[in-house]
Amino acid sequence: MEGSETAIAILGHLLDVAAGDGVHEIVIGMAHRGRLNALANIVGKPLVKIFSAFEGDPDPTSMQGSGDVKYHLGASGTRYGADGKEIVVSIAPNPSHLEAVSPVVEGIVRPKQERLKDAARERVIPVLLHGDAAFAGQGVVAETLNLSQLPGYTTGGTIHLIVNNQIGFTTNPDEARSTPYSTDVARMVQAPIFHVNGDDPDAALRVLNIAFAYRQAFKKDVVIDMFCYRRHGHNEGDDPSYTQPQLYRKIKEHPSVATLYGSQLTRDGLTTTEQVEQIHKRHVQHLEDAFQAAQQKNIAPLGADSLAAVEEEKHDVPRTSVDRDAIEAVVQGMTRLPEGFSLHPKLRKFVFRREEIFQPGFQIDWATAEALAFGTLVLEGTPVRLSGQDSGRGTFSQRHLILVDAETSQEYTPLQHLAPDQAPFQVWDSSLSEYAVLGFEFGYTIGDPLTLVLWEAQFGDFFNGAQIMIDQFISCSMQKWNQPSSLVMLLPHGYEGQGPEHSSARIERFLILCAEDNMQVVNCSTPAQYFHVLRRQMYGGKQGGGMQMPMVIFTPKSLLRHPQAVSGVDELTGGSFRETIGEVEKLAAENVRRASRCAAADLLRSSRPAEGT
């Protein structure tokens, strides 16, 4: 942290100010620069555990090669402000993709606010630390800023602190950005930007006071750009003088902020040189004592803390099938419109045909099964959140969870009005983003494990715009970060002749990522299968009994309305999810030479079987 020590003073002061203002929790997202300092001095992670981790003591519960470098782990703790008021402080885990954690933190904060019924969004505040090069260079920063005022994603404003080293590893500013300041991207949301000298801690704390007051008053993002430097190289073994010899000659001769501030206090008569030296010696001794204690071999490993707003309770695993009464209650709610509501003429059949669900021969399509899964979950007390590009209507005009008055354009979401005591149901049309939005939804599952959270891509292969989130967070959420996630990714898949970009959701890529029960990859061939697997996701997953893992579902396109891809209501009131469905044709077992497993989207379009199969 040398050269930017004032960042710790800013964070510490923020916690004091926020606690005094009644804030319940600060959730911090940051890269590895200064992370150990923040874990020790801000969160209160025991120094002995940090030192022990660097002594090479293995985690006996971890597979060889699992986990991540020590300064990527997250933590949570309780701190007491200057006036004795308590505040929770959390740091989210993150990979080396410097800004990937930004939308994840926003997603963690949102359900924490909702669980606290913090409608004003004043009691849980996101704080993001950035490097200057990353803030200007990483596109996910702009995507996250764009979410800041959207109704489905706002967290009431983020406090951004830029640790402005004036260098990016070995890259100079004129090679790293096309704007005068690294903060210029924040002007897109008219965020106030305060530039402050990192060698002046008093000025930095005054700026923090203004930034906090602005955020609380206007519920918008605010940026503190702290100009400082990096005394040593990018890591412990790097020599920065190879590429910036003049700059590092100046830095070597420049006194530290602690030295400068100690001299100022002495000049002002507030302390003596001896007192400053004693403070320094006490702190060094504190570090030395912790280091010596870490040499013992019985220190618990450095792990990641839960960041959830609510903890999942152990309960009996309900069946995924439902009673007839539950389906009837959902159908009545879906077909009950406000008085005077003008339904679009083309949607009348779509909506009201569901009233016939218990008539003989009624065929449940994909959208109806999905709506019934959502509806029965919220009636049972499980909140549901669905987001994505055009997810309210559905890319293929199949869903229509949000109805729009044809005369007034007023919106009405029937699944929000099934019963007075139901759990919340949310469906949000997202910004045209995969990277930040998927990160937000992943963060939401970390912050609230009791909500079914689904993200839908407009077309299945569009997930590749968020590949970093899948590789670094979703596929390894438990194994790497010790953060269980039940996120569901809906990826429309199927070869309908619309070209390669709209055809494949790359099933093979997700299968390659699967190991150690880290993720479920599902391709449902019937609406009943989809109904059961969605409900199973919140009732124990594959193993039963509460185990959570992300799930990728390759949803259909042409099969959404295919006459063979339907189910009967009895398949919802009975049965369960079947991991495989065997051959439905009558075959003589002795004549079978080969068994093939195929995807549902291709099954109904299969070509003539090869000879001998």
Side-chain angles (χ1 to χ4, degrees):
M1 196 98 232
E2 291 92 333
S4 58
E5 296 94 331
T6 299
I8 296 298
I10 291 174
L11 290 176
H13 186 57
L14 170 61
L15 294 178
D16 288 342
V17 172
D21 197 56
V23 174
H24 171 73
E25 182 174 2
I26 297 287
V27 181
I28 300 173
M30 64 184 299
H32 42 272
R33 175 99 160 97
R35 191 179 190 87
L36 294 178
N37 253 292
L39 287 173
N41 297 314
I42 300 302
V43 178
K45 202 75 172 175
L47 286 170
V48 65
K49 284 194 173 186
I50 296 175
F51 285 136
S52 178
F54 279 87
E55 286 298 296
D57 290 346
D59 180 351
T61 65
S62 176
M63 290 286 290
Q64 184 176 1
S66 296
D68 207 305
V69 294
K70 313 302 184 295
Y71 36 76
H72 286 176
L73 293 174
S76 185
T78 301
R79 183 180 172 115
Y80 293 90
D83 57 1
K85 292 185 178 179
E86 183 179 290
I87 187 169
V88 177
V89 56
S90 305
I91 296 182
N94 69 288
S96 286
H97 295 70
L98 300 175
E99 294 292 343
V101 75
S102 297
V104 174
V105 165
E106 304 295 340
I108 291 171
V109 167
R110 173 85 175 212
K112 286 174 178 278
Q113 294 173 336
E114 291 172 351
R115 287 287 180 177
L116 286 174
K117 302 190 184 305
D118 179 19
R121 307 198 184 280
E122 294 176 339
R123 301 196 60 213
V124 184
I125 299 177
V127 176
L128 295 176
L129 271 68
H130 314 267
D132 51 318
F135 197 76
Q138 297 287 303
V140 71
V141 173
E143 289 189 33
T144 305
L145 287 168
N146 188 50
L147 297 179
S148 65
Q149 294 298 307
L150 302 183
Y153 304 89
T154 185
T155 54
T158 299
I159 297 174
H160 301 267
L161 172 58
I162 296 179
V163 179
N164 194 332
N165 299 318
Q166 306 175 71
I167 189 174
F169 201 158
T170 65
T171 304
N172 293 316
D174 58 353
E175 299 167 311
R177 62 178 185 265
S178 297
T179 58
Y181 294 97
S182 63
T183 55
D184 284 341
V185 64
R187 296 171 67 182
M188 64 182 279
V189 292
Q190 292 83 48
I193 300 168
F194 299 95
H195 306 285
V196 66
N197 184 352
D199 273 353
D200 189 346
D202 289 334
L205 300 197
R206 287 197 295 272
V207 163
L208 184 278
N209 289 338
I210 301 170
F212 177 81
Y214 176 89
R215 189 270 173 201
Q216 293 296 78
F218 299 106
K219 307 301 185 294
K220 291 185 176 181
D221 287 40
V222 59
V223 180
I224 300 173
D225 182 18
M226 188 186 77
F227 277 81
C228 52
Y229 57 92
R230 186 188 64 189
R231 183 168 294 277
H232 303 296
H234 184 73
N235 57 45
E236 294 84 349
D238 185 47
D239 186 350
S241 66
Y242 293 145
T243 49
Q244 281 80 22
Q246 290 179 296
L247 174 63
Y248 274 88
R249 276 197 295 271
K250 291 182 178 180
I251 289 175
K252 187 176 181 180
E253 297 168 358
H254 187 72
S256 71
V257 63
T259 300
L260 292 171
Y261 197 63
S263 298
Q264 179 183 327
L265 294 175
T266 301
R267 284 195 308 270
D268 293 344
L270 299 173
T271 187
T272 66
T273 303
E274 290 75 17
Q275 288 173 322
V276 171
E277 184 61 29
Q278 284 300 315
I279 292 172
H280 176 73
K281 286 182 177 179
R282 282 200 304 271
H283 187 65
V284 171
Q285 188 61 50
H286 177 60
L287 294 171
E288 182 64 32
D289 292 344
F291 178 75
Q292 293 301 327
Q295 308 309 304
Q296 306 300 318
K297 298 303 179 183
N298 58 350
I299 306 298
L302 182 66
D305 301 326
S306 171
L307 302 181
V310 287
E311 298 299 331
E312 185 174 17
E313 297 179 357
K314 296 298 181 183
H315 53 73
D316 294 333
V317 181
R319 58 193 176 98
T320 57
S321 58
V322 296
D323 296 332
R324 178 186 174 114
D325 290 346
I327 290 180
E328 189 168 7
V330 176
V331 169
Q332 287 179 355
M334 290 193 299
T335 56
R336 184 172 57 240
L337 303 181
E339 185 176 351
F341 189 90
S342 297
L343 184 64
H344 194 288
K346 291 185 178 180
L347 290 179
R348 294 195 65 80
K349 182 178 179 182
F350 173 88
V351 171
F352 293 113
R353 69 176 287 273
R354 292 170 171 172
E355 294 178 324
E356 304 170 4
I357 194 167
F358 292 111
Q359 297 298 318
F362 184 89
Q363 295 179 327
I364 296 174
D365 59 16
W366 187 274
T368 300
E370 179 184 68
L372 289 171
F374 294 160
T376 54
L377 282 170
V378 298
L379 285 177
E380 293 167 357
T382 295
V384 175
R385 175 187 168 94
L386 168 66
S387 85
Q389 296 155 16
D390 316 297
S391 61
R393 191 198 76 168
T395 299
F396 311 102
S397 195
Q398 86 280 9
R399 183 173 285 131
H400 297 288
L401 290 175
I402 301 175
L403 301 176
V404 181
D405 190 298
E407 301 298 329
T408 67
S409 296
Q410 291 296 309
E411 294 183 350
Y412 179 73
T413 304
L415 289 180
Q416 294 176 347
H417 305 279
L418 301 180
D421 57 347
Q422 71 171 74
F425 175 78
Q426 301 179 51
V427 54
W428 298 104
D429 288 341
S430 74
S431 66
L432 196 61
S433 157
E434 290 85 30
Y435 191 175
V437 170
L438 182 57
F440 185 99
E441 303 305 341
F442 169 78
Y444 200 105
T445 66
I446 300 301
D448 188 352
L450 304 186
T451 293
L452 175 63
V453 180
L454 309 97
W455 173 77
E456 183 174 60
Q458 196 174 59
F459 285 90
D461 69 322
F462 289 2
F463 78 84
N464 52 25
Q467 190 70 58
I468 290 173
M469 291 299 174
I470 295 164
D471 291 342
Q472 300 293 339
F473 286 105
I474 296 170
S475 67
C476 55
S477 60
M478 193 66 198
Q479 287 75 8
K480 191 173 184 179
W481 308 121
N482 196 32
Q483 301 292 330
S485 170
S486 58
L487 178 69
V488 177
M489 294 173 58
L490 305 178
L491 305 181
H493 171 87
Y495 296 94
E496 275 82 28
Q498 296 184 27
E501 285 197 8
H502 290 166
S503 294
S504 176
R506 316 294 183 191
I507 294 176
E508 67 282 359
R509 294 189 189 175
F510 290 95
L511 292 176
I512 288 172
L513 290 173
C514 290
E516 300 179 31
D517 286 328
N518 66 319
M519 191 164 60
Q520 305 168 76
V521 176
V522 178
N523 192 346
C524 299
S525 54
T526 71
Q529 284 279 85
Y530 184 47
F531 172 88
H532 285 297
V533 82
L534 287 179
R535 288 178 50 78
R536 188 186 74 161
Q537 183 68 356
M538 298 312 294
Y539 294 140
K542 181 179 178 181
Q543 305 298 326
M547 182 170 137
Q548 291 179 306
M549 67 178 80
M551 179 166 62
V552 181
I553 302 180
F554 299 97
T555 55
K557 291 186 288 187
S558 64
L559 298 192
L560 291 169
R561 298 177 178 85
H562 198 289
Q564 293 183 40
V566 293
S567 300
V569 70
D570 59 314
E571 296 179 75
L572 309 189
T573 57
S576 60
F577 179 71
R578 294 183 286 170
E579 294 188 354
T580 58
I581 299 177
E583 177 58 65
V584 296
E585 299 292 339
K586 291 182 179 180
L587 299 175
E590 64 272 14
N591 295 332
V592 175
R593 297 290 180 267
R594 180 184 303 161
S596 299
R597 179 175 293 188
C598 54
D602 301 325
L603 181 60
L604 298 176
R605 297 172 173 273
S606 59
S607 59
R608 182 169 56 86
E611 187 174 350
T613 62

